[in-house]
Amino acid sequence: MDYVVIVLNIFVGLNTLNVWLIRPNKSTVWRGRDASNIKEEFKNYGLPVWFMYLMGSLKVLFVLLLFVSIMYPSLAWVAAYGIAILMLGAVLMHIKIGDPIKKSISAATFLVLSPIIGLI
């Protein structure tokens, strides 16, 4: 079971870092409405720029905790539930602006996987 948790940690962590550190200025099929970058996406949600930076910082912090939790499993629940709460917010933002369900699939997947990491 330990290997499953490690794989889930790495999968959720690397995908989250990809969005915030590698592809923030690129268009993806998951971006809200017709946004071509993360700033436009938060603008489409009606959220201020400072909130985007706060969310990005929290997501990176929780991902780092996920990675650290591989060696210190007692930290897993903090990281996992933190990510889950942020992903719930992402799904709700997609719903708020009337995005098709397919735009929420990525966030919804991590919303489901994160508590599993925290429970195992």
Side-chain angles (χ1 to χ4, degrees):
M1 196 60 97
D2 291 337
Y3 292 115
V4 172
V5 174
I6 291 170
V7 168
L8 287 175
N9 280 1
I10 292 169
F11 177 74
V12 170
L14 289 180
N15 279 288
T16 303
L17 289 179
N18 179 48
V19 171
W20 286 91
L21 299 180
I22 297 171
R23 301 185 59 134
N25 296 314
K26 296 183 179 174
S27 181
T28 73
V29 298
W30 316 113
R31 297 239 183 261
R33 224 176 253 147
D34 59 350
S36 61
N37 61 56
I38 209 157
K39 251 185 198 176
E40 287 179 18
E41 184 173 20
F42 272 72
K43 185 177 179 182
N44 286 342
Y45 296 145
L47 299 170
V49 173
W50 68 264
F51 194 77
M52 176 195 71
Y53 289 112
L54 175 64
M55 290 300 101
S57 298
L58 287 172
K59 285 185 181 180
V60 170
L61 172 68
F62 288 135
V63 166
L64 293 175
L65 279 174
L66 266 186
F67 293 155
V68 170
S69 76
I70 293 170
M71 296 301 291
Y72 301 98
S74 63
L75 296 174
W77 72 272
V78 174
Y81 287 104
I83 289 173
I85 290 166
L86 297 178
M87 293 303 163
L88 175 61
V91 170
L92 293 174
M93 288 295 107
H94 283 291
I95 292 168
K96 173 187 172 189
I97 64 171
D99 273 343
I101 291 174
K102 72 178 187 175
K103 291 213 177 233
S104 299
I105 289 174
S106 179
T109 300
F110 298 136
L111 171 60
V112 170
L113 291 177
S114 294
I116 292 171
I117 293 169
L119 290 174
I120 297 178

